[in-house]
Amino acid sequence: MKNQKHPEVNCSRVENEIHYYSSINIGVAVGTPTGMLIVPVIKNCESKLLFDISAEMKDIQKQNKKQSIDYGHDARRHVYVEQYWHV
């Protein structure tokens, strides 16, 4: 992936030091039919083709439409859940 060439994009500040991550994880916010906002995380994208990442996103969309995303036991990715409010 491109940001392997730019490690400063895949880092964070931890106390007074910059921590560079070896794996590339992508999260995309998705609204659910029940009004929740979830951010499924596709892990280890540095070792996947764009086609494979796209296929995982399509799988997430299908699970979301069926309301069958497992929020706590999906071994392939972590899902963070947050309630949002319409203003």
Side-chain angles (χ1 to χ4, degrees):
M1 289 197 66
K2 283 284 186 196
N3 65 346
Q4 283 180 304
K5 294 180 182 178
H6 302 284
E8 64 276 3
V9 176
N10 195 30
C11 66
S12 64
R13 182 175 173 208
V14 179
E15 294 184 18
N16 291 328
E17 296 182 13
I18 302 294
H19 177 76
Y20 294 92
Y21 298 99
S22 59
S23 62
I24 299 172
N25 304 322
I26 298 175
V28 179
V30 179
T32 68
T34 59
M36 298 289 288
L37 178 66
I38 62 171
V39 184
V41 178
I42 300 173
K43 314 257 306 152
N44 303 315
C45 293
E46 73 280 358
S47 62
K48 297 178 183 177
L49 299 172
L50 185 57
F51 178 82
D52 298 325
I53 295 168
S54 176
E56 284 197 49
M57 280 306 302
K58 287 178 184 175
D59 182 47
I60 290 167
Q61 290 171 343
K62 286 179 188 175
Q63 289 179 27
N64 183 34
K65 285 183 182 178
K66 291 192 251 180
Q67 298 181 11
S68 65
I69 293 178
D70 184 354
Y71 296 111
H73 300 94
D74 191 340
R76 293 182 300 161
R77 59 185 149 266
H78 298 280
V79 179
Y80 300 95
V81 181
E82 176 182 319
Q83 179 69 44
Y84 69 96
W85 300 96
H86 297 281
V87 179

